[in-house]
Amino acid sequence: MDHAPITIELSRDEALVLSDWLERVQMTNLSRLVEDEVVWAPVHRLAGTLDTALPEIFAADYAERLAAARLRLLPSNDTSTDTDSADTGEGADAGEHGAPARL
C-alpha cells in the first residue's frame, strides 16, 4: 500500500469557500453531520491547513471577500473550463483569488 501524501489543488476562491464551510461545520456538533469519528481527524487537518494557507480569513473585509468568492464560484458564472477566476484587480490584493491553494 502506498503511503505517499496526497496533494489537492484548489483555487483561492474554492479554498476560501471550503474553509468557511468547514469552520461552520466544526462549530456545530460535528457528530451530527459525520457519524464516523475516523473522518474527524482529516476534516480538522484540512480545516487547519486551509486556515494557515488563507491569510484573508483574518482580513477586516473577510465577509466581502467570501461573498465575492462565492459569486465567482456559482455555476452560472462559469464561462470557462478553468475553476479559477480571472483576476480583474477590482479591489483585490495580489493573489487574492488568483494563486491556487495547495493542501
Side-chain angles (χ1 to χ4, degrees):
M1 176 179 237
D2 188 3
H3 294 288
I6 302 293
T7 300
I8 300 171
E9 274 196 31
L10 301 171
S11 71
R12 299 296 289 191
D13 287 346
E14 290 168 333
L16 191 61
V17 169
L18 180 59
S19 173
D20 180 72
W21 181 81
L22 285 170
E23 177 66 22
R24 286 185 283 124
V25 166
Q26 289 179 310
M27 297 309 288
T28 64
N29 186 353
L30 187 58
S31 64
R32 284 186 12 221
L33 181 64
V34 182
E35 294 179 12
D36 187 357
E37 291 182 27
V38 173
V39 177
W40 296 359
V43 166
H44 291 305
R45 184 170 181 199
L46 179 59
T49 300
L50 287 169
D51 286 351
T52 60
L54 295 167
E56 52 264 53
I57 66 173
F58 303 107
D61 63 345
Y62 169 71
E64 291 83 7
R65 291 178 188 222
L66 178 62
R70 293 176 59 81
L71 283 174
R72 288 188 293 268
L73 289 174
L74 285 174
S76 61
N77 290 339
D78 186 16
T79 59
S80 71
T81 57
D82 185 0
T83 60
D84 202 8
S85 304
D87 187 0
T88 62
E90 296 178 34
D93 294 331
E96 178 183 332
H97 58 274
R102 293 185 62 105
L103 308 176

